[in-house]
Amino acid sequence: MILDRLRNRPGAGRFASAFSSRLGSAVLSFLVLLVASHALSTQEYGLYVFLFSIGSALGLIFVLGQQILVVKHYRSGIGLDDRGNKALLRVNALWLILGVGTLIAASIIGFLIRGRLPAPYDQIYVALIFAAVYAVSEYLQNYFRIHGRINLSLTPREIAWRVASAAVLASLAAGGVLYGGAEAFWAVTLLLAAATAYQMRHFVRDEGVAFLGKSGRTDRVTRRQWRKESYYFIANNILNSASAYLETIVIGAALGLDQAAFYFVALRIAMFLTLPVAAIDTVGIPMIAARFQAEDVAGAQRLVGRLSFASFAISLTGALGLAIVGNYVLVLFNAEFAQHHDVLIALCLSAVSLAFFGPGSWLLMIGGGERYFLIGRSILFVFYLGLLFGLAKLDGLMGIAIAGLLMNVASNLIATVWVMRRWRIDNMATAFLKPFLLFDGRRERRRVQKSVAVDRRIALTEGNGEASA
């Protein structure tokens, strides 16, 4: 019934396209990992995922918040502001040049001093190059999705890059020229550069480069506001990157690359369960933002509630399936991985918790709550680091997985509190049910309507008094 309703809603086609692209991406990512795990020894595979984790984390950080800024402020369709868009793109470009330039400069330094660094840190320069490409790719994905061009947003990186990576790694292994994890990572980095160049070609064709000149200039107040928002987005991106990749990096550095190899595989398997959330982020957020711009809060609530409930239901069903077949999936990569099936279950619970809270963090970020979110998550992050290292010593990989689960739940809870207060919207999956478990929207609307009615009566009374006088 839920899916039937969604199918008949505006934008359902784009949601289905986004979901299918994300599903294809996850399946292909799984395929790339599977090919790499059989083409490389466990230790070299651990090096590959270690470099990938560092590169991806730095890429998300050094996009410098511009992927969020463009989603928040770019105007397309109704209310199109061409001059404002050009100014925004100019600001985006300057920040990206700074971020990518910093990564390339650091990569050059890393290459020059690589002989002085112990393994695996002597290969860090490759991860920095990957991060520079990934940052540009991340921005372009968000630029194209606000235009509703989902295929151009997702296909180059999520589909084409992964298909090419699997094929190239398998070919190199078959030809006997895949010598280690660093070489495998070089291959996927060059392929990502090609996919990103394809997106960049379309971006330049659509927008040109004139916005880099005088046509892209704007007033100082606007620039200051965007710069302030960018700082908050950067800080939150650091926390996002840490939550996504820090655990694998810590495991690789402290427990060994073989342990990192397992954890990365298990984490990617669990990420299958976040596909509905990814589809919401890709298509749902612009649709929700449009309702806010039209001051249609009730419509936004209905859309958020339906999408969150649908994503949670799908994610929970997938988690139950992985609880049954997870052992067999892990054996596909390495027979030794099956002994950590309980860790996979914990990671699945973490993924389901993300689906339960739907697009809460995105609603907060586009609504101006970035400062609140940053402060709240920064406080949580201090406790998270303590939990991460404490539970890692106490219970190894399972302790690390539990620390990540607790951090995800706490972070999403503080976002939900803000969204309820700011937007008067419940973003949790339970919002689809009546009454809401933690927030009764009908009661709140009655309170607001009653308050407005009282204000109107007071205004009328004061107006009549002034007229009589």
Side-chain angles (χ1 to χ4, degrees):
M1 183 175 68
I2 304 297
L3 294 178
D4 289 337
R5 290 182 178 181
L6 288 175
R7 190 181 301 116
N8 296 324
R9 295 285 167 180
R14 282 184 291 166
F15 182 85
S17 176
F19 182 79
S20 60
S21 294
R22 291 294 188 182
L23 176 61
S25 169
V27 171
L28 292 171
S29 179
F30 181 88
L31 178 62
V32 174
L33 290 176
L34 185 61
V35 170
S37 69
H38 286 280
L40 302 167
S41 66
T42 303
Q43 193 73 9
E44 290 297 328
Y45 182 58
L47 173 60
Y48 171 83
V49 300
F50 183 69
L51 294 175
F52 186 91
S53 298
I54 292 176
S56 299
L58 290 177
L60 289 175
I61 293 171
F62 280 88
V63 69
L64 299 182
Q66 300 311 293
Q67 86 281 24
I68 303 175
L69 195 71
V70 74
V71 170
K72 181 175 181 179
H73 292 293
Y74 196 96
R75 296 291 178 263
S76 60
I78 298 175
L80 176 65
D81 178 10
D82 187 64
R83 183 176 179 82
N85 287 343
K86 296 298 183 185
L88 177 63
L89 292 177
R90 185 175 189 273
V91 168
N92 293 156
L94 293 177
W95 278 94
L96 280 173
I97 289 171
L98 173 63
V100 171
T102 300
L103 289 170
I104 292 175
S107 178
I108 293 172
I109 294 173
F111 176 77
L112 294 176
I113 67 171
R114 68 190 186 284
R116 305 176 190 176
L117 300 174
Y121 306 104
D122 56 339
Q123 301 295 330
I124 289 294
Y125 73 96
V126 189
L128 293 169
I129 294 174
F130 179 89
V133 179
Y134 194 90
V136 177
S137 174
E138 186 70 13
Y139 174 80
L140 291 175
Q141 274 203 350
N142 285 275
Y143 166 82
F144 285 118
R145 78 171 181 162
I146 61 176
H147 290 78
R149 302 169 70 180
I150 303 305
N151 287 332
L152 191 53
S153 170
L154 298 180
T155 300
R157 190 174 91 189
E158 306 302 328
I159 304 298
W161 173 51
R162 300 183 193 282
V163 169
S165 294
V168 168
L169 291 180
S171 299
L172 292 175
V177 293
L178 188 62
Y179 302 111
E183 289 76 14
F185 192 63
W186 263 115
V188 299
T189 299
L190 294 175
L191 291 170
L192 179 61
T196 305
Y198 175 79
Q199 289 178 303
M200 180 60 72
R201 175 174 170 270
H202 282 271
F203 173 84
V204 172
R205 188 179 67 182
D206 294 343
E207 299 288 354
V209 294
F211 62 83
L212 293 172
K214 292 183 179 180
S215 65
R217 295 187 180 277
T218 188
D219 61 275
R220 184 177 300 178
V221 175
T222 301
R223 291 200 306 272
R224 186 185 301 118
Q225 178 62 31
W226 287 348
R227 182 167 59 248
K228 179 181 177 181
E229 291 178 356
S230 294
Y231 289 147
Y232 287 124
F233 294 152
I234 292 167
N236 277 298
N237 278 348
I238 292 173
L239 295 176
N240 287 337
S241 297
S243 64
Y245 297 102
L246 180 61
E247 294 164 8
T248 302
I249 296 171
V250 168
I251 292 170
L255 301 182
L257 294 177
D258 55 334
Q259 297 293 301
F262 157 74
Y263 197 86
F264 190 83
V265 166
L267 191 60
R268 287 301 173 273
I269 293 173
M271 286 302 100
F272 270 100
L273 307 179
T274 64
L275 290 176
V277 180
I280 288 175
D281 287 349
T282 302
V283 175
I285 291 300
M287 294 167 61
I288 295 167
R291 281 164 173 75
F292 284 137
Q293 291 169 11
E295 299 183 355
D296 181 12
V297 178
Q301 175 65 86
R302 287 193 298 271
L303 180 60
V304 169
R306 285 167 179 149
L307 292 177
S308 296
F309 184 81
S311 68
F312 173 68
I314 296 170
S315 182
L316 182 60
T317 302
L320 294 174
L322 280 176
I324 298 172
V325 303
N327 268 331
Y328 305 102
V329 177
L330 290 172
V331 168
L332 292 176
F333 291 87
N334 190 315
E336 297 179 1
F337 288 176
Q339 63 181 307
H340 300 301
H341 181 242
D342 56 340
V343 178
L344 174 61
I345 298 302
L347 293 173
C348 287
L349 290 176
S350 185
V352 171
S353 74
L354 291 175
F356 177 81
F357 289 101
S361 60
W362 263 105
L363 291 175
L364 181 146
M365 297 297 277
I366 66 174
E370 54 269 12
R371 182 174 182 271
Y372 163 86
F373 204 34
L374 174 60
I375 294 173
R377 294 183 75 195
S378 297
I379 295 171
L380 287 176
F381 192 71
V382 174
F383 290 99
Y384 166 66
L385 288 177
L387 278 175
L388 182 63
F389 289 98
L391 292 178
K393 289 184 179 181
L394 183 66
D395 203 13
L397 294 176
M398 176 56 82
I400 291 175
I402 292 174
L405 169 61
L406 295 176
M407 177 63 178
N408 282 338
V409 172
S411 178
N412 278 285
L413 276 175
I414 65 171
T416 296
V417 169
W418 188 93
V419 170
M420 287 178 175
R421 291 177 177 175
R422 168 65 176 84
W423 294 116
R424 303 297 180 187
I425 278 181
D426 182 358
N427 58 273
M428 296 182 292
T430 48
F432 184 76
L433 306 174
K434 302 293 184 177
F436 300 152
L437 296 183
L438 297 181
F439 179 77
D440 191 338
R442 291 174 298 180
R443 183 186 306 166
E444 179 63 22
R445 283 193 291 273
R446 286 196 298 268
R447 186 191 69 78
V448 172
Q449 290 169 357
K450 183 178 180 180
S451 176
V452 171
V454 171
D455 291 343
R456 286 176 177 173
R457 286 197 298 271
I458 292 173
L460 288 172
T461 301
E462 292 176 348
N464 291 334
E466 291 173 359
S468 299

